[in-house]
Amino acid sequence: MSVVQLESVGKSFMRRDGEQLEVLRNIDLDVPERSIVALVGASGCGKSTLLNIVAGLIPPDQGTVFLNGQKSSAFKDWRTMTYMFQEDRLFPWRTTAQNVALGLEAAGMPRKERRDRVMQVLELVGLEKFADSFPHELSGGMRSRAALGRSLVTEPSILLMDEPFSKLDPSIRTQMHDEVLRIAGLRQMSVLFVTHDVEEAVVLANKIVVLMPRPGRVKETREIALPYPRNPLSPEVAEEVRLLRLSL
Amino acid sequence: MKRSPLQMTQDRRLRLIGLRLLLIIIVVGLWGIGSLGAPAFILPSPRRVFGVWTQLVVTPGFWADFGITFYRIAMGFIFATVVGVVLGLLLGASRTLGDFFQPLLVVINTVSSSIWAIFALIWFGLSNWSTIFVVFMTAMPLILTNVWQGTSTVNRDFIELAQTFRMSRLQVLLKIYLPTILPQFFAGARLAFGFGARVSIVAEALGASSGIGYRLRQAADLVQTDQVFAWTLTLVILMIFIEAVLLKPLETHLFAWRKPRPA
Ligand SMILES: Nc1ncnc2c1ncn2[C@@H]1O[C@H](COP(=O)(O)OP(=O)(O)OP(=O)(O)O)[C@@H](O)[C@H]1O
Ligand SMILES: [Mg+2]
């Protein structure tokens, strides 16, 4: 079964000068259960808009979104989906631990249980020493790891991520890839994520959807059948990266 | 030798205390010099005022007046805070409500506190409520305006994030709106308290039979200028005390998350 399914979704924005800007046209997209799907494409081709539509933040103008087989409008289990935005959106008045705990608070989890879960996740994203730091005391990479922690702490079954690792240095990025793969396998989580890093897409995803701009359309969908863990230096991965680069 | 940040903040604090002491010495010194050339009922000397003050403090009536004034200010301020915050949030949350009530707020802001004091006298007579009403009418619009303006600075991205977590309206209010408006609220509340405390004295002078304002008028009627000075000194000490012991530490605690400004 598909966890997320888009059928001929289209979206236009009204620009302030009154003209319609068509951002997405006729998008078909499918995230099968327990799969990782990567969205790649030029800047401005509507990737963030697409995630916003899936998250239910903006309605599509055309087409339908299905979540767990249900029409998005009839979907009830929204708390099983988390969305890591392109910006970290950490509350400046909350410490790292408090920021990470936000989703648990929203779900009404008691304080004591919250503490343990938060500490586990902080360890996972390597921020246990910065639990009591405020966002302005963290580096850019640490902030995006905190945002990742906030998305993981509620143990979602659907995870949406918009360029989650773009601010991390290569070694930590590889580490985060391993973690996401581990958690996805462990918790039977499905992931839909946006990236500009072609290699990242190939290392993580079962399926890569290439968008082309103005308006955003699906150009190509590539299945990556390589076994995990995937070594970025292996010739198979290098070959997939080369093919994807050609497609872009 | 390089000095540690802790030592540096200590240095800065010592320097500040030194400057404050110097200021007090200069002001009292000028006052003393001025009082040499004037009769005591115009400008009593600092020593004389201090003498009267130490006598005043030990009379039992002093603390009763002190307490009743403080009570009236506090009550007016608490009512103003509750009403101001709730209305400010409501007006900030709804554009229609905001546009509708905007003119009313302008009108309230243009009516001087002295006019409220006269109304209070007509409506409440010589009672606690006169003063409480005047403090309330002075402080409430200030708090309301600040909270209202604060709501417009709420980050839409944070609201969107809250939406993805399906946070309830109440949660959004408590976890996003409240922390966002807190600095503005605090600035408004501090201003409102200062204004409220000042007009409470006017209100008491006009429409009360107890309290610091009433004693001030009494002393002025009897041309006991040293008494007037002593009561004024009491007020100044009260306000400094509230600022240093209540507001400043509270502010430091509440806004620890703020990026420190470069020195
Ligand atoms: N709320 C909006 N109102 C008007 N136009 C919008 C709005 N949101 C997005 N757009 C426009 O839609 C287009 C796609 O934006 P989107 O943020 O989805 O791109 P993206 O693929 O995520 O780009 P990037 O890789 O740079 O993040 C852009 O041209 C943008 O200007
Ligand atoms: Mg984007």
Side-chain angles (χ1 to χ4, degrees):
Chain A
M1 194 181 70
S2 295
V3 172
V4 176
Q5 197 183 356
L6 272 63
E7 267 180 23
S8 39
V9 162
K11 181 76 196 175
S12 302
F13 285 114
M14 183 75 97
R15 287 208 320 210
R16 249 176 305 153
D17 58 14
E19 267 185 58
Q20 289 277 339
L21 176 72
E22 193 179 11
V23 178
L24 295 171
R25 178 188 292 177
N26 209 14
I27 303 279
D28 289 317
L29 183 92
D30 186 32
V31 181
E33 207 169 358
R34 305 193 57 176
S35 70
I36 300 179
V37 176
L39 273 174
V40 297
S43 182
C45 70
K47 304 180 295 295
S48 298
T49 306
L50 190 68
L51 287 194
N52 285 340
I53 289 173
V54 174
L57 292 176
I58 51 176
D61 294 338
Q62 294 92 35
T64 323
V65 178
F66 295 93
L67 300 170
N68 285 342
Q70 283 172 301
K71 267 195 172 181
S72 176
S73 52
F75 186 66
K76 290 276 180 299
D77 304 326
W78 284 104
R79 289 222 171 99
T80 62
M81 174 195 282
T82 56
Y83 183 4
M84 181 183 171
F85 290 91
Q86 193 161 1
E87 318 82 27
D88 54 63
R89 304 195 184 187
L90 299 172
F91 296 175
W93 55 83
R94 284 182 171 232
T95 63
T96 310
Q98 289 167 341
N99 265 301
V100 167
L102 191 68
L104 300 178
E105 284 173 36
M109 180 184 275
R111 183 184 295 268
K112 262 179 82 179
E113 255 174 276
R114 241 162 39 203
R115 254 205 89 72
D116 298 341
R117 284 274 281 278
V118 166
M119 282 323 285
Q120 272 176 4
V121 167
L122 284 179
E123 228 164 281
L124 202 82
V125 294
L127 287 177
E128 66 275 19
K129 288 207 181 69
F130 296 89
D132 297 323
S133 301
F134 288 106
H136 76 82
E137 298 168 317
L138 303 179
S139 73
M142 286 153 85
R143 291 172 66 117
S144 52
R145 276 184 281 151
L148 178 64
R150 184 181 57 199
S151 311
L152 291 177
V153 78
T154 51
E155 304 194 342
S157 52
I158 310 172
L159 175 62
L160 310 175
M161 300 191 289
D162 201 344
E163 297 184 33
F165 311 119
S166 60
K167 290 198 191 75
L168 303 183
D169 65 55
S171 72
I172 295 180
R173 186 183 308 201
T174 313
Q175 222 172 302
M176 288 297 121
H177 291 167
D178 293 345
E179 285 302 340
V180 167
L181 283 175
R182 196 174 64 83
I183 296 166
L186 213 66
R187 301 213 190 120
Q188 328 215 329
M189 183 168 70
S190 314
V191 181
L192 174 61
F193 78 106
V194 169
T195 182
H196 280 289
D197 182 343
V198 172
E199 194 181 276
E200 179 171 273
V202 173
V203 169
L204 286 182
N206 308 104
K207 183 154 86 179
I208 299 173
V209 177
V210 183
L211 295 182
M212 57 182 174
R214 275 177 290 275
R217 284 148 296 165
V218 176
K219 184 179 187 190
E220 184 187 4
T221 302
R222 303 186 62 82
E223 306 274 346
I224 311 286
L226 303 173
Y228 294 101
R230 296 170 184 164
N231 180 354
L233 301 175
S234 71
E236 295 89 347
V237 168
E239 174 62 11
E240 288 291 350
V241 167
R242 196 182 63 83
L243 289 173
L244 195 59
R245 283 235 165 83
L246 283 179
S247 165
L248 279 164
Chain B
M1 195 182 80
K2 250 186 98 86
R3 304 184 63 92
S4 73
L6 189 70
Q7 279 173 317
M8 267 159 53
T9 47
Q10 271 177 348
D11 285 357
R12 220 174 299 144
R13 200 167 294 162
L14 276 177
R15 191 177 139 265
L16 216 57
I17 291 173
L19 286 175
R20 295 279 145 82
L21 280 176
L22 188 65
L23 185 66
I24 290 174
I25 291 169
I26 290 175
V27 170
V28 173
L30 285 176
W31 173 12
I33 293 167
S35 71
L36 290 179
F41 70 89
I42 302 276
L43 185 61
S45 70
R47 173 177 305 185
R48 185 181 173 131
V49 168
F50 190 71
V52 171
W53 189 71
T54 46
Q55 280 171 16
L56 193 65
V57 187
V58 291
T59 57
F62 171 83
W63 291 106
D65 284 315
F66 189 86
I68 195 73
T69 297
F70 187 77
Y71 165 79
R72 288 166 184 158
I73 298 173
M75 287 293 280
F77 180 71
I78 289 168
F79 283 132
T81 304
V82 173
V83 174
V85 169
V86 171
L87 283 186
L89 284 175
L90 271 176
L91 298 193
S94 156
R95 223 199 145 87
T96 319
L97 279 181
D99 290 345
F100 188 72
F101 283 109
Q102 165 92 33
L104 206 57
L105 197 68
V106 174
V107 171
I108 291 177
N109 270 327
T110 52
V111 176
S112 125
S113 297
S114 325
I115 296 179
W116 290 125
I118 289 165
F119 274 116
L121 201 59
I122 297 170
W123 290 336
F124 302 102
L126 293 179
S127 76
N128 282 344
W129 291 103
S130 287
T131 309
I132 294 173
F133 173 76
V134 176
V135 173
F136 174 83
M137 289 312 291
T138 308
M140 193 274 288
L142 280 171
I143 295 179
L144 192 159
T145 310
N146 271 270
V147 170
W148 186 358
Q149 280 169 0
T151 56
S152 65
T153 63
V154 165
N155 189 335
R156 305 312 301 175
D157 283 357
F158 293 171
I159 305 291
E160 214 174 48
L161 177 76
Q163 239 173 305
T164 70
F165 282 126
R166 305 293 134 172
M167 278 164 66
S168 67
R169 264 166 188 276
L170 184 68
Q171 284 176 329
V172 171
L173 200 67
L174 293 179
K175 292 175 197 294
I176 299 179
Y177 273 82
L178 221 52
T180 305
I181 63 165
L182 207 56
Q184 286 234 40
F185 161 75
F186 212 82
R190 174 178 269 177
L191 210 63
F193 191 85
F195 278 132
R198 268 171 268 170
V199 302
S200 74
I201 303 305
V202 178
E204 282 184 342
L206 283 175
S209 50
S210 60
I212 298 178
Y214 172 71
R215 295 291 164 210
L216 265 167
R217 201 196 57 188
Q218 222 178 19
D221 285 350
L222 301 173
V223 205
Q224 294 172 325
T225 313
D226 43 13
Q227 290 271 345
V228 173
F229 269 76
W231 279 109
T232 308
L233 187 65
T234 310
L235 263 180
V236 170
I237 292 172
L238 174 68
M239 292 313 282
I240 291 176
F241 177 80
I242 287 173
E243 170 71 24
V245 176
L246 240 61
L247 296 182
K248 199 76 205 164
L250 190 65
E251 191 172 34
T252 313
H253 171 74
L254 283 177
F255 303 125
W257 55 270
R258 277 186 173 175
K259 207 173 185 150
R261 284 169 199 284

